[in-house]
Amino acid sequence: MKSLEELKKIKDKTKKKTNTEKDTSLTRILVGMSTCGISAGAKPVFDEFNTLIKDKELKDISVTSVGCLGECSIEPMVEVYQNDKRYTYCEVNKEKAQKIFDEHIVNGNVVEDYLIGQYRK
Amino acid sequence: MAKVAKSLNEIKSFPKQTRIALRNCGLIDPSNIDEYIARDGYFALGDILKNKSPKDVVNEIKESGLRGRGGGGFPTGLKWELTAKEKSDRKYIICNADEGDPGAFMDRSILEGDPHSVLEAMAIAGYAIGANQGYVYVRIEYPRAIKRLKAAIKQAREYELLGENIFGSGFSFNIDLRLGAGAFVCGEETALIASIEGERGMSRNKPPYPAQKGLWGYPTCINNVETLANVSAIFNMGAKEFAKIGTENSKGTKVFALAGNINNIGLIEVPMGTTLREIVYDIGDGIDGGKAFKAVQTGGPSGGVITEEHLDTPIDYESLKEIGSMMGSGGMIILDEDDDMVKISKFYLDFTQDESCGKCTPCRIGTKRLYETLEKLIDMNGTPEDLEMLEYLAKSVQKTSLCGLGQSAPNPVLSTLKYFRDEYEAYANRTKRTAYFIEEDVCIGCTKCAQVCPVDCIEGEVKKPHVIDPEECIACGACYDVCPVDAILKP
Amino acid sequence: MKNIKLTIDNSEIEVPENYSVLQACEEMGLNIPRLCFLRDINETSACRLCIVDIDGMRGLKNSCTIQVQDGMNIKTDNKEIRNSVKQNLQLLASNHIFECWACDRETNCEFLDLMRRYNVDNTFGESEFFSDNKRLFNDTSTAITLDSGKCILCGRCVSACHVHTGLDILDFNERGNETYVGPAQNNNLEDSGCIYCGKCIESCPVAAIKDTSNMEDMLEALREPSTKVIVGIDPLVKVTVGEEFDSNIGENVEEKLYASLKTIGVDEVVDTSKFSNILKKEEANILLNRVKEGGKLPIIRSDEPGWINYIEYFEEDYLSHLTSTKSIEEITGAIVKNYYSKELGYHKENIVFVALTPKPEEKQKASRMANIVEGVRDVDFVLTTREYARMLKRQSVKFNELEPIKQFGKLAELTQSSVNEDTYHNSLEETLKTASILAGEKPKKIKFKKRKEFEEAEYTLKDTKFLVAKITTPTIKDFFDILESKQKQYHFVEFNSSLGGWINSGGNPIHTAKLQDDVDIHKFRLNNLNGLYTSKNYTNLDEILYKEFLDSVGSKKAKKVLHTKFEKQESYKNQ
Ligand SMILES: Cc1cc2nc3c(=O)[nH]c(=O)nc-3n(C[C@H](O)[C@H](O)[C@H](O)COP(=O)(O)O)c2cc1C
Ligand code: SF4
Ligand code: SF4
Ligand code: SF4
Ligand code: FES
């Protein structure tokens, strides 16, 4: 890295790829995969999303493993970012992941039962 | 039905938190440096190397008011300045990622969720103090953090954000990992240095401080993970902005690991000055099972308890010290009415006496004797004289131990003695009840308790007061739960 | 060095700026309690007894390693400090096994002194509610014994081992209250690579590390009427044993020593240095033969036991460089038993030869199979200087009140020959000069080119140029590092310890850390030792012995009696 301009190029390029702001058709699925998430069972959830996307050959959607969001007692947590909207699902397992995928990602119907509001005031 | 909160930022506790150290955790892919850069990562370093002198950097950190998050709360800017001032052709910066406090995992979260924020800060610190080499000392029990760090260092090297001539500035900086075997004392800075040098992890006397004579005798600046995670954020938001957060003497935020008997267990980051009440009730959502709050233990084995009367104390380094506890690294354990404070002290002493490096007399033997005195009390073998001896010995260990471990090991005892002396006295006078007890004048003789007791130790005729045999009672609490008139007292 | 001013107990004092607070206090004549600090050796601040109250510093600070600062205000004595010292002593006491009557250090124990001074009661130690630590003995070595029941974990031995040998045989094991000192995982000392120099013993404030004792063995021999007890005395003992009885450091008490030996019933005495000429001749002969026959060079003298152990453990390749002579104690024992026994009219089987020496490593040497001639051990028992003194105390011998006497017995008469300084100091120079004499030439002066740690010289012998070197390093380990870095073909090399060598051997009387700090013990002992021998004319005891007994230098007989074998030793460190 020789200059700030060079750094900025990377920033802009990556922002496009991971854009979570308005005007994007991109869907991002973030799976909390820190030690806490993993021990609560995040790995199969992460794998499940990846398999489902591959099977359905979906585009403009990515699954990313991220760090911990702090809510250790309701892990594994999965966050779905669409446009400027953010959805936090808790205590996700493989079956729940399937349902979130089928109903929310594919059909656009948020799965209220698993949302954080059911777990936290 | 009320509207369900859809995401984290819609839940009640969200507005109470301010994420600076954890700003990227859970939001970026920690294994991809680009995502860190996309959130302004390494811009602070670039700007500093291009436009600022080391002195500017030190001054800005001083202005931000940042203090060490590893426990001591030493002003970070001052530490950098002291290390910068030393004349030496070699200096080191060490990131302390040993995190040995039982129940604490703030640093692990940062390293796993946002490793670059620590690396960038180390490079900035290196530039400020004149060091070209950094080490991250991380415990081997953190394999995932180690993996993330290794990958992050590799990527940063590939981007030449570490290595020679960074940003064409002429400044070179490298970072290597050093793995610790996981002894608590190795988090203490001088023991940590000994461990990196390949010696047994035993503390060394201060002064001289690491800033004067540290790793291999060279000036060394040691900072905690969370401290470092704040650094580039400070430059990105401006020291003045950062200093607006928090209290007079404690700026910014602090990450805590909430544990114990509380509804929302987890990691939180709150501005300094937040009260404990807000943490326990608003963020933590109160005590589990509707029990009464008793105390919060902060600072783990080095800290003390904070009671109901101090729940409105704004959290900062000084005010916690004033009430006999300490900020510590950020463990926060919520205790309820059922917790026995003497046993809590014993639990911590058991930890410290075992983790003492064994070097100095008061800590090596003193903590053991403190532990044994508590044991003696709990076994109902104690006397009131033991309480005096306990306090006296605790103070002596505190005053004369060589390093922070021994100096702070008596804190749990001293602080619980201060606030819950009656519990100690009950043991010392052997009036402590170990069994449930039925209040004669309240009991209506409904026999419900006798029916549920699993060991059949409750006797009494119908409609006459019942009695529990204290020798037999196993303190399961079954009777307590069924009594319709609350005639039963807990041990 | 700049001076700075500070205040101690309300008096102002000016001291050099590199002083520690302890030094400043001691300079004022204050007696600060201390157990772990040993200057330049152990500066680890572990015992927490030298605590003082320094204005502006939290808690009580140890004075031993904290440097003075301008304007410091220090209190060394108030109730809080006294109570804390007492408390820490009480804690140490609770892990200590007090058997003072059976203890090597009953009369010079730094810990017991402090227990007395602070009038400490053993509250924890005597209560059933406080645990006792496991008492670990490491007592299978013939030279050194460790007893964790007395260890106060000051760390002095650990540091002394590091500084004096570089081998780090001793270390802390476990942690917390389970911590103990010894070879890693409490391996036996003889499997650890220990070279039995005894420096650890000398640094210990208590009796947690001590000589494996031969005291009872010697007493038993003295009680047995049919055995003849013959004592071989290292000359250094004559100027050091008195220190155990409050003499000045290095004071010559030779004649009282003889009186004490006579009092306890020793039959014969002999000065081991009488045979050093024989040793030199045998070594010089090996040097000449090695060069002639093209054997392994450079040669290294084998009469110093500490080096030998080191080479046997860690420098296998150098085994073939060693000369093969026994140590002077072994040689003396062998000659006494195999030759003088007849002159004295004793059966050699009935002789118990006891070496009195400052070298604890001799204990281990004496037990070696290779030091047995015709089924009879050269040396039966070895007592260190301090061990002998303790034996006298146990036998209620009032050393200071003894009437001085000359050496006694027939053996002393038979070996009557005075020695001079050069004779008993065995050294590279001495061996070279002796080689000249053997080769029928006049000994020449040797001129060394001196460099740091290193002296080199050329010496011409029978038209051959000998390149020789003396290397002065702190430890034997450094010696080999330097030797190998030189990449030169030497004929003869010698290791000298910059930390005092033989005079500072680990078997001398032990002094408090403060005295070790304050007094140049080495200098006093050396001066008085040199003062022992002034006469330059000596009868040629060695010539008589070669004629009557050993045939000739390097003969078959000489080989059998005076030479030994060395072989590789295993330790867990070199596996
Ligand atoms: C017994 C003991 C354990 C400690 N453990 C840690 C630790 O795990 N992590 C840490 O950052 N600091 C720990 N510290 C504090 C460090 O010694 C040191 O003060 C800190 O790393 C300095 O960094 P800071 O100024 O950024 O807080 C510990 C101190 C003591 C006495
Ligand atoms: S206080 Fe405890 S951990 Fe620190 S040096 Fe002393 S024995 Fe070791
Ligand atoms: S070491 Fe000291 S205190 Fe301990 S038994 Fe020996 S003389 Fe007594
Ligand atoms: S053996 Fe002696 S010198 Fe070594 S640590 Fe124990 S008391 Fe100290
Ligand atoms: S701590 Fe100073 S003498 Fe032991």
Side-chain angles (χ1 to χ4, degrees), chain B residues 72-89:
Chain B
F74 193 83
T76 307
L78 183 58
K79 194 185 273 188
W80 290 14
E81 183 172 58
L82 290 171
T83 325
K85 233 174 47 193
E86 290 291 319
K87 287 194 185 56
S88 170
D89 54 347

Side-chain angles (χ1 to χ4, degrees), chain B residues 344-394:
Chain B
I344 299 275
S345 299
K346 189 181 120 181
F347 167 80
Y348 283 116
L349 255 301
D350 191 19
F351 177 81
T352 36
Q353 62 89 19
D354 188 45
E355 292 290 337
S356 156
C357 81
K359 181 173 186 171
C360 75
T361 309
C363 173
R364 178 182 70 243
I365 316 175
T367 55
K368 178 84 179 176
R369 301 294 171 241
L370 286 173
Y371 169 78
E372 287 168 337
T373 309
L374 292 171
E375 209 173 33
K376 184 179 171 193
L377 287 169
I378 288 168
D379 292 346
M380 293 292 194
N381 290 318
T383 61
E385 289 78 57
D386 284 329
L387 277 197
E388 265 160 54
M389 191 268 287
L390 186 73
E391 196 162 9
Y392 185 79
L393 176 59

Side-chain angles (χ1 to χ4, degrees), chain C residues 164 199 472-474 496-505 522 526:
Chain C
H164 286 280
K199 281 295 171 192
T472 305
T473 54
N496 289 304
S497 167
S498 59
L499 299 168
W502 165 62
I503 310 287
N504 266 4
S505 277
H522 176 254
L526 182 63

Side-chain angles (χ1 to χ4, degrees), chain C residues 12 39 62 155 157 165 183 215 220-221 256 274 318 343 370 390 445 451 468 485 504 516 534 537 542 560:
Chain C
E12 210 168 79
R39 188 172 303 146
N62 62 303
C157 58
T165 72
M215 189 173 85
E220 197 50 47
K256 282 194 193 250
K274 306 278 178 186
Y318 281 96
E343 306 270 322
R390 185 157 56 86
K445 253 195 129 67
R451 290 192 202 90
V468 303
S485 73
N504 266 4
Q516 292 186 45
T534 44
N537 49 9
D542 47 305
K560 192 165 138 194

Side-chain angles (χ1 to χ4, degrees), chain B residues 100-262:
Chain B
D101 236 349
F105 54 94
M106 300 73 55
D107 296 348
R108 186 187 71 200
S109 264
I110 293 172
L111 295 174
E112 290 181 350
D114 192 16
H116 286 286
S117 67
V118 174
L119 303 185
E120 183 184 3
M122 287 176 74
I124 293 173
Y127 177 71
I129 67 165
N132 302 108
Q133 175 67 45
Y135 292 102
V136 183
Y137 185 87
V138 54
R139 57 176 41 224
I140 205 150
E141 283 101 331
Y142 281 1
R144 210 169 167 78
I146 293 168
K147 197 172 130 197
R148 291 275 187 252
L149 277 168
K150 278 190 178 151
I153 291 172
K154 186 160 168 268
Q155 288 175 357
R157 281 199 188 130
E158 277 162 13
Y159 275 19
E160 294 177 26
L161 291 163
L162 289 176
E164 305 301 307
N165 195 17
I166 304 168
F167 282 105
S169 64
F171 172 66
S172 304
F173 190 74
N174 273 305
I175 296 178
D176 289 298
L177 292 189
R178 287 291 178 269
L179 305 186
F184 177 56
V185 70
C186 286
E188 197 284 330
E189 50 194 15
T190 59
L192 187 155
I193 286 174
S195 171
I196 294 186
E197 288 171 357
E199 307 261 315
R200 181 181 150 94
M202 275 181 150
S203 304
R204 296 170 180 170
N205 205 42
K206 295 187 283 192
Y209 293 94
Q212 308 158 304
K213 264 180 108 174
L215 189 58
W216 292 298
Y218 297 102
T220 302
C221 172
I222 301 184
N223 278 126
N224 162 261
V225 171
E226 188 188 331
T227 315
L228 291 167
N230 276 293
V231 167
S232 65
I234 289 173
F235 285 97
N236 287 340
M237 72 199 288
K240 280 206 179 65
E241 275 308 302
F242 183 86
K244 280 185 192 156
I245 308 165
T247 65
E248 176 69 27
N249 292 315
S250 304
K251 301 296 185 192
T253 60
K254 178 77 193 91
V255 182
F256 290 104
L258 284 190
N261 203 359
I262 188 154

